[in-house]
Every structure is written in C-alpha cells, then in structure tokens.
C-alpha cells in the first residue's frame, strides 16, 4: 500500500490504476466498521483507495475537532492488511488553501435530524466528499449505514450533480452488546460505555414492537424515548421515525421507516439507527 499526501501525487498514482477503483473515505481511528467498507471495496473493485482526513469544515467550533482521536500508524497497518492499494492523507491546507470559498450544499435532506442539530455539518461533508471524489475519480464509493443521513445526502448529491459513481451503503457493525462501533466510543468511560448500550437496546425494542404489529410512528418514537430516558447517564437529543429516503417525519401507521437518534452520554454525542419494514 502506498501512502500519499498531496493532490498531484494522488492524481499521478490514480492514473496508474487499471480497472474499477473503489473509494473509502474516512476520518481515521479505524475500527471494524470502517474495515468492513474497505473489505467490501476490495472484493468488488480491482483497486481500492482509502482516505483519512479529519475534515475541519464539518465540525462546528464547539465540537471535537482538536480532540478527535488519531492513530495513522495503526490505521495504515489495518488498511494494508485488508488489501487497500492507496491511502490518501491530505492535510487541511491541501484541501482548504488560503482564500478557499467554494461550497457544495444539498438542500432539503440536510435540514432535518443531524442537520437540525449541526447546521453547518453537511455543507462540510458534501464539500469535502466532492473534493475527494474529484481527485480520486472512483467508480464505486463506500459509506456506512451508521451515518444514515450522510448516506442519503451523498446519494442525493451524486444523483443531482451527475457524478459517475455508484454509492454503496454497508450495514452497521456493532459490538457484541449492540453498541454501534464509532471512533467516538473511545471518549466513554466504563460506566458511560455500559450506559451507551441503551441506544441500540431502545432501537431493537422498537423493531420488535414493529414486528409485533406496532406501526404507529408516534408510539414507536415514544417507546424509544421511554427506554432511553430510563437510563440516567444518557440524554436524548432527538428521536426520529422518518421516511428512509426523504427523511421527513412520518405520522400515523408506517410501512417502512428509518428510526434514528442522537444522544449524549456525558459530553460524548452518539448516533444510531435502524430501518424497519
Ligand atoms: P468516519 O471515519 O466516522 O467519517 O466514518 C467513515 C465511514 O465509515 C462512514 O461512511 C461511516 O458511516 C462508516 N462507519 C462508521 N462507523 C461504522 C459502523 N459502526 N458500521 C459501518 N460503517 C461505519
């Protein structure tokens, strides 16, 4: 695996790749969730490019940009073991040179859920993903269902801007006790780590209720809220029962829905979701 930093180097290495190119964008501090994307890309594509870039423009000033965990040596080893061909680790200066002022925004689907709590987040995501796509020019790009809204937003952008890229969304990888893997789980102390299982427990309870015939959107939201609120160490930020593609909140009986939430465990903000129906 070759590791490169600058866009000219990336373009030169990209030009040498024959056949289909898969791309796995990440912010690093890799876990099995990221690696599941890289493995799938290696299975499906002749060559795979991964990027590690803690993108400053998707963090609000109050968020954890400075403390976001990093371990490039370990990440490189893991990606190499999986079979990734090129690792691109751009610097913030490379991506946002002095005078930078160009943004890509996606409209309706970024206003709700994560976008309502983090108003500048998706503008940062869509801008950086556009820049990464332009440089890597992959045929396929791999994202995780863990960030369900991000997947919807990227699909929308790829369709709207006619990127010749197939977006592949991979299932959420979880710990044995249900906690969705996240680089931010490292912020949790042992008690918080235990309490954090309430996110997946509440979503699973809602899925079970759905399978048992409870299709009322309001009641599904209420069930999740009740379970999370019973855990004193966890504070719910939002709970949603939304259309999986438009992300608009659903009312009354639902056939298919994205149940998603954000919650704080201490200072750590966690998200999780499940699709029912
Ligand atoms: P991040 O480094 O957090 O930006 O994540 C990079 C990619 O990995 C995104 O497409 C995430 O959705 C995906 N990802 C993160 N955690 C998981 C997980 N637990 N399971 C599957 N994919 C994940």
């Amino acid at each position: 695996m070759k590791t490169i930093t600058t866009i000219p180097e990336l373009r030169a290495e990209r030009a040498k790749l024959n056949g289909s190119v898969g791309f796995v964008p990440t912010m690093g501090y890799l876990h099995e969730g990221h690696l599941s994307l890289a493995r799938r890309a290696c299975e499906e594509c002749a060559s795979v490019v991964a990027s590690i870039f803690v993108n400053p423009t998707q963090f609000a000033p109050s968020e954890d940009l400075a403390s976001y965990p990093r371990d490039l040596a370990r990440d490189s080893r893991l990606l190499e073991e999986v079979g990734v061909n090129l690792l691109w680790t751009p610097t913030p200066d490379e991506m946002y040179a002095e005078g930078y002022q160009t943004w890509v925004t996606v409209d309706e689907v970024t206003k709700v859920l994560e976008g309502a709590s983090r108003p500048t987040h998706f503008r940062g995501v869509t801008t950086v993903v556009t820049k990464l796509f332009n440089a890597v020019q992959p045929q396929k790009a791999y994202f995780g269902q863990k960030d369900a809204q991000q997947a919807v937003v990227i699909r929308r952008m790829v369709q709207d801007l006619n990127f010749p890229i197939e977006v592949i969304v991979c299932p959420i990888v979880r710990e044995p006790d249900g906690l969705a893997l996240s680089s931010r789980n490292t912020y949790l102390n042992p008690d918080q780590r235990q309490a954090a299982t309430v996110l997946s427990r509440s979503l699973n309870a809602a899925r079970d209720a759905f399978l048992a015939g409870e299709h009322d959107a309001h009641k599904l939201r209420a069930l999740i809220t009740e379970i999370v609120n019973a855990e004193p160490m966890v504070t719910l930020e939002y709970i949603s029962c939304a259309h999986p593609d438009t992300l608009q909140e659903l009312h009354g009986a639902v056939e298919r829905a994205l149940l998603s939430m954000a919650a704080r465990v201490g200072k750590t903000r966690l998200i999780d979701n499940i699709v029912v129906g």
Side-chain angles (χ1 to χ4, degrees):
M1 185 181 74
K2 208 162 191 169
T3 302
I4 54 232
T5 308
T6 68
I7 291 174
E9 279 176 298
L10 188 268
R11 287 198 196 283
E13 290 301 323
R14 168 65 180 89
K16 295 182 201 163
L17 300 177
N18 294 314
S20 61
V21 171
F23 178 46
V24 183
T26 81
M27 298 204 300
Y29 214 72
L30 304 181
H31 50 61
E32 274 302 312
H34 301 110
L35 297 178
S36 72
L37 272 50
R39 281 198 198 94
R40 171 113 179 243
C42 289
E43 280 165 26
E44 296 181 350
C45 305
S47 305
V48 174
V49 180
S51 63
I52 295 179
F53 181 57
V54 183
N55 175 34
T57 64
Q58 70 191 67
F59 288 77
S62 60
E63 293 179 352
D64 57 344
L65 174 63
S67 60
Y68 197 83
R70 293 158 216 244
D71 188 345
L72 184 57
R74 179 173 175 274
D75 290 349
S76 314
R77 203 175 61 239
L78 293 171
L79 291 170
E80 179 147 36
E81 278 168 18
V82 166
V84 168
N85 303 87
L86 275 183
L87 169 58
W88 183 25
T89 59
T91 61
D93 286 346
E94 176 89 22
M95 295 301 267
Y96 303 106
E98 208 180 320
Y100 189 89
Q101 50 186 287
T102 302
W103 301 97
V104 177
T105 58
V106 174
D107 209 352
E108 295 302 323
V109 289
T110 65
K111 287 182 180 158
V112 292
L113 307 175
E114 287 298 287
S117 300
R118 308 176 73 192
T120 58
H121 174 67
F122 285 113
R123 179 182 93 147
V125 171
T126 46
T127 299
V128 81
V129 170
T130 295
K131 289 171 67 73
L132 296 169
F133 281 178
N134 281 340
V136 176
Q137 304 201 357
Q139 273 78 40
K140 297 186 182 197
Y142 295 80
F143 293 86
Q145 176 64 17
K146 165 77 177 8
D147 298 279
Q149 186 175 14
Q150 172 172 277
V152 169
V153 169
I154 298 292
R155 274 194 203 285
R156 186 76 253 164
M157 178 183 86
V158 162
Q159 195 174 332
D160 291 352
L161 296 183
N162 313 104
F163 280 104
I165 296 173
E166 184 185 347
V167 174
I168 291 152
V169 180
C170 303
I172 302 179
V173 178
R174 297 178 179 280
E175 299 282 5
D177 65 5
L179 180 68
L181 298 192
S182 164
S183 307
R184 290 187 167 104
N185 292 348
T186 172
Y187 299 146
L188 303 171
N189 70 31
D191 289 342
Q192 292 171 331
R193 166 67 187 78
Q194 178 54 37
T197 59
V198 78
L199 276 74
S200 61
R201 269 193 287 120
S202 66
L203 291 171
N204 287 339
R207 180 203 50 206
D208 292 347
F210 182 89
L211 291 172
E214 180 55 86
H215 286 203
D216 183 81
H218 174 71
K219 289 201 176 132
L220 292 169
R221 280 187 288 264
L223 173 63
I224 295 170
T225 305
E226 189 186 319
I227 295 171
V228 176
N229 285 347
E231 171 50 70
M233 294 179 76
V234 178
T235 310
L236 201 53
E237 198 170 285
Y238 67 78
I239 167 71
S240 160
C241 175
H243 188 287
D245 302 320
T246 65
L247 304 180
Q248 293 305 302
E249 284 306 308
L250 297 171
H251 303 281
V254 300
E255 283 305 308
R256 194 162 170 269
L258 172 69
L259 300 171
S260 67
M261 65 163 80
R264 296 232 174 232
V265 189
K267 284 187 181 148
T268 306
R269 188 173 182 281
L270 300 178
I271 57 171
D272 201 353
N273 71 83
I274 197 169
V275 175
V276 294

